[in-house]
Amino acid sequence: MTPIVRRHGATLAGFAAVAVALFAVAPSVLSTFRLSLLGQFVCFAMVAVGIGLAWGRGGMLTLGQGVYFGLGAYVMAMHMKLDDAGPGGVPDFMQLYGNGEVPLWWEPFRSPVITLVAVAAIPAAVAFVLGWAIFRRGVRGAYFAILSQALAAAFAILLIGQQATTGGTNGLNGFRSFFGYDLFDPVNKRMLFFIASGALLLMLLAAWQLYRSRYGELLVAVRDQEQRVRFLGYDPALVKTVAYVIAAVMAGIGGALFVPIAGIVSPDDVGVVPSIGFLIGVAIGGRATLFGPALGALIVAWAETSLSESFPSMWTYFQGVLFVVVVAFLPRGFASVSALWRRRPTPATEPAPQRQEATV
Amino acid sequence: MSMTADYLELSDVRVEFDGFRAVDGVSLTVLQGDLRFLIGPNGAGKTTLVDAITGLARAAGSIRFGRTELLGRKAHRIARLGVGRTFQTASVFEDLSVLQNLDIAAGAERGPVTMLRARGRTPERIDETLETVGLTAHRDLKAGTLSHGQKQWLEIGMLLVRDARVLLLDEPVAGMSGEERTRTGELLRRVGADRTVVVVEHDMDFMRSFADSVTVLHAGSVLSEGSVAEVQSDPRVQEVYLGTAPTDAANDSDEAVA
């Protein structure tokens, strides 16, 4: 065995399991409709991976990831509306609610290249400006959480108010094609699912590398002792902003892939409620673990759909109870259950056994 | 770097919180190799002074390390100039191993590419520091599982590993056993030979055993300064510690300061 397999066997097995589940098992057992539904959840899971990084490792309780999800989603939706309308064409809803002209700020998104760049770049830029401003002033904890949530609320209200240019409460929908591929063709739907699954795997790999890296260690240090890190010569605001920006990019890509799969994006997908929903999945899965956030997000979304189908009004209560139980009894999420099981003392958790007879 | 001896020079440093002068015109100079203790009753402004030097508290006056003015710089910039501090409550990164703690401390100058990669071999400097502070056997333990004394040594190690030229230690032996105190004192003696070290301390036995020189703060100002013996025989110091100046000197005052 190569050293990397020996040292990271469990993690690599986890990656293999996720890949097999998404690329082999799911497509063979699920109907096109269910697969498409799972595809949407995979997009939520991308947001969750980012939250795991920002909150689990970085300690930033971000209640507003819906904003970045929404920025990515709306950028993609704008491109798809323009693409459907044809060169120089005007999207249908604008003819209905607006003056029949495409606003100037929509025009760049006619270009597929600009759209793909903007899906990551716009959330990154917004997160950088906000994060740098917030973290440099030392805002953290509950204040940061409230601020991020207010941002999500404001973003949703802004979208609702701009009926003529963002579709208002209806959002953007009725897409026919995705970069030229017919969205009604089941083969293309399946392809979209594979693209989303591939993106999720790549993000998990990126998160793994970050957690293993020196930056990952520094991020945990900032989470636990921000002041101490400062006196070692680092700027904690920068360390936190980097994680926040990466989380925003992951959410933006998740949003962008959500639009062609779900066929709609509206303010309901980006406001306070979905932002908190993202967080619950992460908390339940285990925020500081590698796979926990993504699995938690998938399981919670799946449970929501299936329970809502059988007991339409019960889901909210169930979600609340689940959240309370996890926070009260499993503060590290379900991912920590296996650790309780093993109880194998690892070198890093064993108490210091003997006094060292050394050179102090 | 240390071709010429380093020194830390404070002149007329003032720190004010909402009209209250916590530090009121302190001037002092600490030379490299001179193990300086900073003592004084509670509220004398000792920790506030350390906060001012390290950029945590806003101060007026002048604080210079060699020719470099520290006042007005951000905390992490001051740290990068080689000024390091510890805290009263040991503040190591409990969730990380001893090795990871030291590696973070050693790496404020690393570039983005190095940061985004995992650590390969342990840097030599870290091995040396582990040896110096006596934590080699504990390098893979989580810092949270160390004893109180070991955490303080790790903190000092975190300053040594990045070769801090000025060490400001806030009550390093508080809560330590007698044996641990002695070890800590010897460690400070060794690392202090080519560094500028200021120790804020309440423990008078410890001070008597290891201080080269002492500055006594009272109500935000320097009350007395000199060798241990000079400071202990200063009637003003005795008054501050006892409330009144004792008439028969030596024994009583010794008790009072201790």
Side-chain angles (χ1 to χ4, degrees), chain B:
Chain B
M1 195 168 197
S2 48
M3 294 269 283
T4 56
D6 292 332
Y7 60 95
L8 184 68
E9 186 173 33
L10 283 67
S11 39
D12 196 26
V13 174
R14 280 159 285 131
V15 182
E16 206 167 305
F17 300 119
D18 300 325
F20 169 68
R21 288 246 170 121
V23 174
D24 194 4
V26 167
S27 301
L28 59 90
T29 305
V30 187
L31 301 177
Q32 175 183 316
D34 170 27
L35 194 54
R36 173 70 57 93
F37 275 58
L38 195 57
I39 65 166
N42 280 330
K46 305 182 296 287
T47 299
T48 310
L49 197 59
V50 173
D51 288 350
I53 298 169
T54 52
L56 189 58
R58 205 181 276 270
S62 164
I63 300 175
R64 286 148 58 101
F65 170 44
R67 293 209 188 107
T68 316
E69 176 64 52
L70 301 182
L71 271 194
R73 292 177 194 262
K74 288 185 171 181
H76 70 277
R77 298 278 172 204
I78 295 174
R80 283 195 185 196
L81 290 170
V83 180
R85 72 174 293 181
T86 65
F87 293 82
Q88 279 176 31
T89 46
S91 49
V92 295
F93 309 122
E94 308 233 326
D95 247 14
L96 299 175
S97 72
V98 169
L99 171 66
Q100 287 172 326
N101 270 270
L102 289 171
D103 188 59
I104 287 176
E109 269 87 32
R110 288 184 188 126
V113 177
T114 317
M115 288 303 293
L116 289 176
R117 295 175 58 186
R119 178 179 38 258
R121 273 184 306 122
T122 311
E124 213 166 283
R125 230 158 20 130
I126 293 182
D127 280 330
E128 288 166 15
T129 305
L130 281 166
E131 206 59 45
T132 307
V133 299
L135 291 173
T136 304
H138 303 293
R139 51 174 269 164
D140 293 322
L141 292 182
K142 275 198 184 182
T145 65
L146 296 179
S147 75
H148 176 74
Q150 289 169 332
K151 281 183 193 168
Q152 286 288 359
W153 294 333
L154 175 55
E155 279 226 68
I156 295 170
M158 285 162 77
L159 303 182
L160 299 180
V161 79
R162 65 188 185 83
D163 200 24
R165 304 308 307 161
V166 178
L167 308 186
L168 305 163
L169 310 174
D170 202 349
E171 298 193 24
V173 299
M176 279 191 184
S177 70
E179 186 207 343
E180 285 174 331
R181 279 159 203 249
T182 311
R183 281 188 182 180
T184 307
E186 283 162 3
L187 173 66
L188 293 183
R189 271 276 165 82
R190 249 181 307 132
V191 303
D194 57 349
R195 292 182 176 81
T196 308
V197 183
V198 177
V199 181
V200 173
E201 200 41 86
H202 274 302
D203 185 310
M204 295 302 148
D205 286 329
F206 184 67
M207 177 199 83
R208 272 191 288 268
S209 310
F210 296 103
D212 290 325
S213 61
V214 182
T215 299
V216 185
L217 282 190
H218 176 56
S221 314
V222 175
L223 185 71
S224 178
E225 193 169 288
S227 68
V228 176
E230 282 164 6
V231 163
Q232 279 187 327
S233 59
D234 185 334
R236 288 171 304 173
V237 175
Q238 294 162 13
E239 184 177 335
V240 161
Y241 273 92
L242 203 66
T244 55
T247 41
D248 75 337
N251 272 351
D252 272 353
S253 69
D254 209 64
E255 284 303 312
V257 176

Side-chain angles (χ1 to χ4, degrees), chain A residues 2 5 46 101 117 130 155 159 165 167 186 212 263 285 302 312 314:
Chain A
T2 57
V5 173
M46 296 182 211
E101 276 178 40
V117 171
L130 283 171
F155 185 54
L159 290 172
T165 52
R212 278 166 13 97
W302 192 260
M314 289 300 287

Side-chain angles (χ1 to χ4, degrees), chain A residues 38-124:
Chain A
L38 182 60
Q40 295 175 30
F41 304 158
V42 166
C43 296
F44 298 152
M46 296 182 211
V47 186
V49 174
I51 294 177
L53 176 71
W55 181 37
R57 297 284 163 145
M60 293 164 268
L61 179 54
T62 164
L63 292 173
Q65 287 308 89
V67 172
Y68 303 113
F69 183 81
L71 284 172
Y74 271 89
V75 164
M76 182 58 80
M78 282 154 65
H79 171 72
M80 289 166 71
K81 284 312 270 187
L82 290 168
D83 202 23
D84 283 353
V90 182
D92 45 11
F93 78 97
M94 283 184 185
Q95 287 157 352
L96 213 56
Y97 302 110
N99 55 9
E101 276 178 40
V102 177
L104 211 58
W105 59 273
W106 269 62
E107 289 295 344
F109 302 110
R110 281 191 195 274
S111 150
V113 176
I114 290 179
T115 301
L116 288 177
V117 171
V119 155
I122 290 180

